[in-house]
Amino acid sequence: MGLNVIALGGNAILDKIPTDEGQKEVVRKVASDIIEFIELGEQVVICHGNGPQVGNLLIQQKAGDSEKTPMMKLDTNVAMTEGSIGYWIQQAIQNELQKRSIQKSVISVITQVEVDAADPSFQNPTKPIGPFYTKEEAQQKMANGEGVYQEDSGRGYRKVIASPKPKRIVEKDAILSLVAADVITVCVGGGGIPVIKNQDGVYEGAEAVIDKDLSANNLAKEINADRLIILTGVDNIYINYNQPDQKKLEKLTIEEAKQYIKENQFPPGSMLPKVESAIDFVEESQKREAVITSIENLSNIVAGFGTRIVC
């Protein structure tokens, strides 16, 4: 039995129907695939994204923003969506376990991830988040010291925030205890809540978001996982994607993957961080592998499906 860290994207959960029930329905299907994978003798720790969910929450808070019901800070919004999505996954897995008469526990853990206050992304924020504003509204907010706003794809202006690299999973020891007890653990949701440790050793929330694939990679290394699985919208990675000479990749060495990155084969906003996380994980140990594939293909990974990054 191998220990697997599974990274599930927030966009995969908020697929077509943004309602509470619509997202829960997607998670129910994911839970079924995860339990089928566990029935093959695999152990799992599950991470998830929350990009569209935290964006929607910020839009809702803006609509109701007032002196009595003020908008929450970003780290709190990340925690709120980490909790809600973790609850959906936890409940769906519990119900699936009961349906199959499997005696196993599952829990979701609100997880903090330490980042470096000196990370260059804090000086050069680039990650758009939350609602759109007019140019005039954005300029007023910047004049009020409410952050940096940039034009986004011709649709208006959005706040841009830092996306620092994760340094350390704060709750690592608790997660390791759960893994040792063979508890199905959901953690590091949305990349984890970004926190900075001050000079007194006290953690404080940061106005930032962390890439969930990078945090999943950190988690996999910190708990000594055997495999990192990054679930996305396609069964395999492709080069020359959507071109006549498109080619499916089934197995990649680290060197081949790095060469494709140099050739700009992987879009920065989607596949690139997934491939970079996979490379970094595999480089830590020649016995490990990373797999990038679709949710539906999860139970086929043991048989060799998906794109595998190996030494």
Side-chain angles (χ1 to χ4, degrees):
M1 179 174 71
L3 175 59
N4 302 266
V5 168
I6 297 175
L8 171 66
N11 284 301
I13 297 171
L14 203 165
D15 183 18
K16 296 180 178 67
I17 305 172
T19 62
D20 179 280
E21 191 55 40
Q23 293 181 81
K24 284 180 178 177
E25 184 56 40
V26 174
V27 170
R28 290 186 194 108
K29 176 63 173 67
V30 172
S32 176
D33 292 329
I34 288 172
I35 297 305
E36 285 182 14
F37 184 63
I38 289 172
E39 286 183 311
L40 296 174
E42 301 293 329
Q43 188 177 15
V44 302
V45 175
I46 304 157
C47 306
H48 62 81
N50 70 344
Q53 290 84 3
V54 79
N56 284 357
L57 180 57
L58 288 167
I59 292 170
Q60 292 166 357
Q61 290 193 359
K62 177 180 179 290
D65 188 27
S66 70
E67 186 177 345
K68 290 187 176 181
T69 58
M71 290 182 67
M72 298 290 104
K73 289 187 176 180
L74 184 55
D75 58 315
T76 299
N77 282 280
V78 171
M80 290 167 71
T81 50
E82 183 180 11
S84 60
I85 298 172
Y87 151 64
W88 295 342
I89 296 172
Q90 177 178 317
Q91 185 183 77
I93 289 177
Q94 285 171 330
N95 290 339
E96 193 66 30
L97 289 168
Q98 184 174 345
K99 185 193 302 183
R100 300 180 188 224
S101 300
I102 298 173
Q103 297 298 315
K104 195 178 281 284
S105 297
V106 56
I107 194 167
S108 55
V109 180
I110 300 298
T111 317
Q112 302 169 93
V113 175
E114 185 179 346
V115 298
D116 191 341
D119 191 291
S121 70
F122 284 108
Q123 301 303 318
N124 183 33
T126 58
K127 179 74 172 178
I129 192 167
F132 288 89
Y133 296 92
T134 66
K135 183 177 182 179
E136 293 72 24
E137 288 174 328
Q139 289 176 335
Q140 184 61 55
K141 285 184 172 294
M142 287 191 284
N144 293 340
E146 297 180 36
V148 178
Y149 290 75
Q150 294 178 359
E151 194 271 335
D152 183 9
S153 306
R155 296 177 292 173
Y157 284 72
R158 297 174 78 190
K159 188 174 187 176
V160 288
I161 57 170
S163 186
K165 291 184 178 180
K167 284 179 59 181
R168 190 177 70 86
I169 312 296
V170 176
E171 285 77 20
K172 181 190 78 170
D173 290 342
I175 294 167
L176 280 170
S177 297
L178 293 165
V179 169
D182 197 23
V183 175
I184 301 170
T185 305
V186 185
C187 61
V188 195
I193 305 161
V195 295
I196 294 170
K197 184 183 283 189
N198 65 24
Q199 293 179 340
D200 297 323
V202 175
Y203 288 114
E204 297 174 347
E207 183 80 355
V209 292
I210 307 171
D211 184 276
K212 75 101 175 40
D213 295 317
L214 295 180
S215 284
N217 166 38
N218 262 39
L219 175 67
K221 291 187 294 186
E222 290 193 34
I223 67 173
N224 198 30
D226 299 295
R227 187 189 286 128
L228 171 64
I229 301 171
I230 300 176
L231 299 179
T232 184
V234 292
D235 290 342
N236 292 80
I237 300 174
Y238 291 82
I239 56 171
N240 304 323
Y241 188 61
N242 276 343
Q243 299 177 29
D245 57 346
Q246 170 179 294
K247 179 183 176 183
K248 179 171 72 172
L249 303 176
E250 296 183 342
K251 186 180 245 187
L252 278 174
T253 64
I254 292 171
E255 291 73 21
E256 289 169 335
K258 287 182 176 179
Q259 181 58 39
Y260 286 136
I261 289 174
K262 288 180 182 178
E263 296 172 7
N264 297 316
Q265 287 285 354
F266 310 124
S270 57
M271 193 56 74
L272 180 59
K274 295 174 174 55
V275 176
E276 288 177 332
S277 296
I279 290 171
D280 187 65
F281 173 72
V282 174
E283 280 187 318
E284 290 288 314
S285 170
Q286 295 186 2
K287 296 180 181 179
R288 293 169 173 161
E289 68 173 3
V291 182
I292 300 175
T293 191
S294 64
I295 296 169
E296 296 79 11
N297 214 25
L298 180 59
S299 59
N300 296 322
I301 285 174
V302 175
F305 286 80
T307 298
R308 318 175 85 79
I309 290 87
V310 299
C311 287

